[in-house]
Amino acid sequence: MDDRQFRQAMGKFATGVTVIATEVEGDVHGMTANAFMSVSLDPKLVVISIGEKAKILNKIKESNIFTVNILAADQQELSMIFAGQLKEHKEVEFGRLDGKPVLTGAVTQIACEVSAEHVEGDHTLFIGKVTDIHLEDKEPLIFYSGKYRSIVEQQPVTI
């Protein structure tokens, strides 16, 4: 298989869209990512996967903190800003959760301290100990096969 085919296959897994944020010396840095998952309930742990070329990689290593902001359906523009797809955009304002930068209006905000990091291939996996969480009752932004999507509720199947 070639790299393009592998990426295409991985894109067939529908995911939510997150913005990973961190802060170094008062400057907030963010990156759009869909490589995120929960790891453990006790203790509460999550993992994010950051590519070796991503600018935020060394920022997280330096700060030892990050937040995961699961975007709402109406936050596609924020996803595009932090993916570097929009060159001209309004300034993004961050709120705070446990003293860490978060995006207001996200479906979920998860504040974390780095508890471990593992280099695998061309990515670093950061295990985050969850220090606080905030939930909103909103529909999430979805990414599938290279496009933004929304959730449509299915009718239950009766047998």
Side-chain angles (χ1 to χ4, degrees), residues 16-150:
V17 181
T18 74
V19 169
I20 307 301
T22 193
E23 185 172 33
V24 176
E25 296 178 4
D27 291 327
V28 177
H29 306 272
M31 180 190 90
T32 299
N34 63 357
F36 155 76
M37 68 178 211
S38 64
V39 173
S40 170
L41 187 58
D42 185 19
K44 291 168 183 58
L45 301 173
V46 298
V47 64
I48 58 171
S49 179
I50 307 294
E52 64 185 7
K53 295 178 181 170
K55 295 175 187 171
I56 201 170
L57 178 65
N58 288 325
K59 306 293 184 191
I60 294 173
K61 288 182 177 190
E62 186 177 343
S63 68
N64 231 26
I65 59 118
F66 64 88
T67 62
V68 178
N69 300 273
I70 301 173
L71 299 185
D74 64 357
Q75 292 182 306
Q76 180 177 331
E77 183 180 13
L78 284 174
S79 173
M80 295 174 75
I81 289 169
F82 288 104
Q85 296 170 338
L86 293 180
K87 300 305 175 202
E88 294 182 24
H89 56 81
K90 63 182 186 285
E91 188 168 324
V92 177
E93 291 190 30
F94 288 86
R96 295 279 161 181
L97 180 65
D98 192 35
K100 299 166 184 69
V102 292
L103 289 172
T104 305
V107 172
T108 303
Q109 303 164 340
I110 306 166
C112 300
E113 296 172 352
V114 174
S115 67
E117 62 182 79
H118 306 280
V119 176
E120 291 295 335
D122 58 3
H123 279 64
T124 298
L125 305 175
F126 289 99
I127 308 295
K129 179 177 184 253
V130 177
T131 60
D132 205 353
I133 205 161
H134 177 78
L135 303 165
E136 296 280 339
D137 187 20
K138 296 181 167 187
E139 291 295 316
L141 183 61
I142 302 296
F143 199 71
Y144 172 75
S145 202
K147 296 179 180 162
Y148 293 101
R149 312 283 178 137
S150 59

